[in-house]
Amino acid sequence: MDKVQRQYEDYPYPDRDPAEETRRLIVGSPSFPVELDHHLFGGKRDWAAGTSILVAGGGTGDGLVQLAQILTRAGVPHEITYLDLSAKAREVAEARVAARGLKGIRFHTDSLLNANHHGTFDYIDCCGVLHHLPDPQAGFDALAASLAPGGGIGLMVYAPHGRAGVYPLQDALNAVTDGLSPKDAIAAARQILERVPDGHPFKRNPHLVDHMASDAGFLDLLLHGRDRPYTVTELHAALDRAGLACVAMVPPAQYDPSPYLPDGLAPDLGPVATMQLAENLRGTIKVHIAYATWPDRAGEANARPRDLSIVPHLKGVAGPALAKAIAAKGQVRVTLASEAVRMQIPKKAAPLVATVDGRTPLSAIAARARLDPVGFGALWSEVDRALSGWGILHYSRLPV
Ligand SMILES: C[S@@+](CC[C@H](N)C(=O)[O-])C[C@H]1O[C@@H](n2cnc3c(N)ncnc32)[C@H](O)[C@@H]1O
């Protein structure tokens, strides 16, 4: 068996206990349903018409459970196909799904390279998998081959700068522990890590924590048999070669270099080189989360608040609480992607934000505030610019 396949049989990733399903739902990007609707379907997906989903390299089930649970709760029809090479990871994912009583999921122990043997899909989730394939481009191509004409993909791949220090250590630890069982390799590598000097880039990188969470996390980060990071430029090139167009990097504001540039300096580099500049200047991006679709759908993909029939949703905060902060200071401060971010939002937008509940369309929010479409549009665009850039605001008609 291939070394990477062996690793995920011995240590299914991430380490999850199905008993915890009664206590919490793990949510995240990609594949948070309102987020994928926002970035891939203009916030106007007709969820009632049904959605076929592929979770490619589903592991122990985080993305799978998030999708199945939120769509089930919303009462919308869906079918999910789970693929993973690891039978052990599948067992954990099946137990998590059973613990929640979720239905409509087909499990297959198979490679995502065979994705199109299982059908074509409206949405494909592929989180943390492609960078582990012997030929990652074959993986991008296989996902494209199973994407329906009107569909989209959400994916995550590793990024180099935020993982500073990982790769020299991975090379060293793999060389020293070659031939040992995973358990012995982890024990030896833990001892070596203790002796590595504090000045090693890995030890100076505060963004890397997986190795502290579990043995599976340690193995995945520092003893991985195959793992290559992608710059944002390389990711766009891989999607391009697969015939796909990247429509969003998430959160979008993370890919804007302007906060670091002196006033008046705005180099005209083109969209991908501008994002690369942000990645290079930020230096902390550990993973890239991207949404991609067919090039002919790219123009209609990202939601825009010009259409007042769309429904805004807030992530991680309730409308009234956010409105209170805006009314008090005309500003919202949050820590996102390990950065303190300050967003300016006019105080007079607070009553609009207070009414965002994930069910009320923009037209009704404007009517309640007694604002005409032009006045509303001007004020709301400031809310939208600040909050959707950092992934706090999305548009979707999903009834959640
Ligand atoms: C780092 S885990 C990510 C799991 C899950 N997507 C998540 O984000 O929690 C990578 C998973 O990809 C699976 N995998 C690796 N190569 C694969 C392939 N060719 N086809 C399907 N699954 C694969 C592994 O077995 C493992 O479960």
Side-chain angles (χ1 to χ4, degrees), residues 135-154:
D135 174 5
Q137 188 61 47
F140 282 93
D141 297 348
L143 298 185
S146 61
L147 183 65
I153 298 180

Side-chain angles (χ1 to χ4, degrees), residues 320-400:
L322 187 59
K324 211 168 151 194
I326 295 169
K329 297 221 167 101
Q331 186 183 92
V332 179
R333 294 174 66 158
V334 281
T335 302
L336 289 161
S338 63
E339 237 177 281
V341 178
R342 230 181 264 168
M343 294 169 271
Q344 308 298 332
I345 300 177
K347 289 184 180 179
K348 57 185 180 186
L352 306 182
V353 174
T355 57
V356 175
D357 59 5
R359 289 181 296 278
T360 310
L362 290 178
S363 54
I365 293 175
R368 270 187 218 168
R370 295 181 197 284
L371 287 170
D372 64 77
V374 175
F376 173 78
L379 194 51
W380 186 261
S381 68
E382 303 220 35
V383 175
D384 177 78
R385 190 179 33 75
L387 299 179
S388 65
W390 284 106
I392 297 168
L393 177 70
H394 298 111
Y395 302 98
S396 173
R397 293 177 184 144
L398 185 70
V400 290

